[in-house]
Amino acid sequence: MYKLGIDIGGTFTDLVLLNETTGELIFNKTLTTYDNPTNGVIAGATDLLSRAGLQFADIGTVIHGTTLVTNAIIERKGAKTGLITTRGFEDVLEIGREYRYDVYDLQITMPEPLVPRTLRFGVSERVDYQGNVLTPLMEDDVAHIVDELVRGGVQSIAVCLLQSFTNPVHERALGDFIRKHYPEIYVSLSVDIMPELREYERTSTTAMNAYVQPLIDQYLDALRSQLTEIGFSGNLQIMLSNGRLTTVEVARQKPIQLLESGPAGGAMAGVFFGKLTGHTDIATFDMGGTTAKTSLIFNHQPELTNEFEVARVRRFKKGSGLPVRIPLIDMTEIGAGGSSIAYVDKLGLLKVGPESATTESGPACYGRGGTQPTVTDCDLLLGYLNEDYFLGGSIQLDKSAAQRAVEEHIATPLGISVREAAMGVHRIVNENMANAARVHILEKGHDPRNYSLLAFGGAGPVHAFDVARLLGSPELIIPVGAGVTSALGFLVSPTASERVRSYVSPIARLDWARLNDLLAEMEEEGFHFLEQTGHKSAEATVTRMADMRYMGQGHEISVKVPNGILSTLSMAELEANFSEEYQLRFGITIDNAVIEAVTWRVMVSSLPVFFSPKRANIEQKRIEGGKDFSGLKGYRQVYYSGDTVPCACPVYDRYQIRPNEYLSGPAIIEEVESTVVIGNRAYVRMDEHRNLIISLKR
């Protein structure tokens, strides 16, 4: 049986085909078709299956991740959306937390709500913090408001009532009314999307879900229809932002959970390759066309968070975006990708990013109309990339166009050579990425020098060696299929369901019967979901977490909760787990302070997928004999950091390097999906799974 992973990225669509019986992998990478992303998916999959000698009917499972949700919110291309909330709370989306992300900016611009004021209505109802109904919901009031929204042309309605997470009766009644009288209108209820406290975040997340739901619903419906038309009859699954898989039906109801589905695949690939290579602690480094992302894999588990921002006014300024509260893998992102633009600012300083070349034109060397110098242009001029073998030769790079762009916009204004300009860009972008990764790791209470770096993405292996050196990483790992690793991560991710409930109480005063009932209900819902997707409950794993804090604090940290029936005997373990996590994050604990639990989370998951990856025979291009090294292709003039003259760098074909062979840097290793650049004082070994393990001498 075969599984196909599909990751639609900002520049390329990546595809990975897995033979579940043999572990053989076949990769493909094609340009993303922005007018209709499905076209790129079908074209790329058709080409991949043709090379494998297969038909769509041979595929048992397709697993898909996409940036469509993020792009729709950033570009404001979602549906016309209305909001119904408790009367008096219509402006919560604009009031927010009254937080200024830049206290010194007198002309500060705050993110504009996805729902305009004219489409936000308050309904007469009230529920208190314990779930008691104080003011009943009036059906006549509901009918008038919904009619107003429909006449206003909305396609989707978000419903977020005050305290509904304690008693959802009014939200459910509103949802039932809309579905009964206006079945063509999409409805998002906060009790389904984010059933926990914090009114602003809950309203923002629910409105965001409603905003993208029509788009994603139609897209997934069209994708499944097109796959069916060309012979696919298997199971279509969707990657979520927390690194777990779900069904198309759930994704259509809660599309906001797809917000970071692509990057989550990369993190889950980090879990897989960590186990495969025997590394328990790994920092993943995913560098694509527009951004670079780093996440932590600690003891074979990704770091999770529930807080995120999207569509920031200032892209990398915390607090300048729309908050969304969903379970997702914690990662840091900076505007450093292959298409990031380099420029000289008003002070005469060389800068890189965060702006990127458009996806249509790309870097200047792509020959599609781009004229601004980018990171890829500089990599080409330094000799790191092969102009005749980019994506296996499917894209011919124009070196002269790259040189003109760098010379005009950087070298001439700064009065330096083109080589110096290109090296300056390369060093700046590496420093920026290493600094971002270092801060992210330190903020988690960990030492970057204890983490091996797993690098992937189209541009990741080109820059990873210098980034790893700057971080002090002991080893650099370049996995098999590094250019399409996120799509491979989809194939090794488990199917899971995470349920959330708010129950605020000091640990010492918890109603243990109520808590056990709450946890049991969430577990039962999770087991039911897995059974519906064809997984056995007996093989499922249950993970419990609680968001906890010292009483009086405004934010929580996630703490492990033991499985089984909880009682007063569990209190000591909960408090110990909280203190351990708090100490790790902040370096202290507060004696005699009351510990309070806020939100409880239960994830029921299938077993993770594990296999021994092999490159499919059709991808092997080994040429035996006739060379002093089995993978040597030749030599190329390459500039490394600090070089004033190029070195004659050996270039190797990754497909011809044998398992357990060694080589030393400097070296360049080429494959279709990516290029690996290795500097001096490093030893490279290809392991038995065809991963490159690079030992770094300090």
Side-chain angles (χ1 to χ4, degrees), residues 172 499-501 514-528 544 602 604:
R172 296 291 183 203
R499 308 289 163 162
V500 181
R501 300 285 190 277
R514 175 183 174 183
L515 177 58
N516 284 316
D517 288 344
L518 191 72
L519 295 172
E521 179 185 344
M522 290 191 281
E523 285 186 23
E524 185 178 348
E525 291 174 359
F527 284 124
H528 179 65
R544 293 170 166 184
V602 174
V604 181

Side-chain angles (χ1 to χ4, degrees), residues 435-463:
N435 284 336
R438 184 182 298 110
V439 170
H440 180 70
I441 296 172
L442 290 173
E443 284 180 341
K444 302 297 181 185
H446 301 281
D447 188 337
R449 295 170 296 183
N450 296 332
Y451 282 80
S452 295
L453 194 69
L454 180 81
F456 51 91
V462 178
H463 293 262

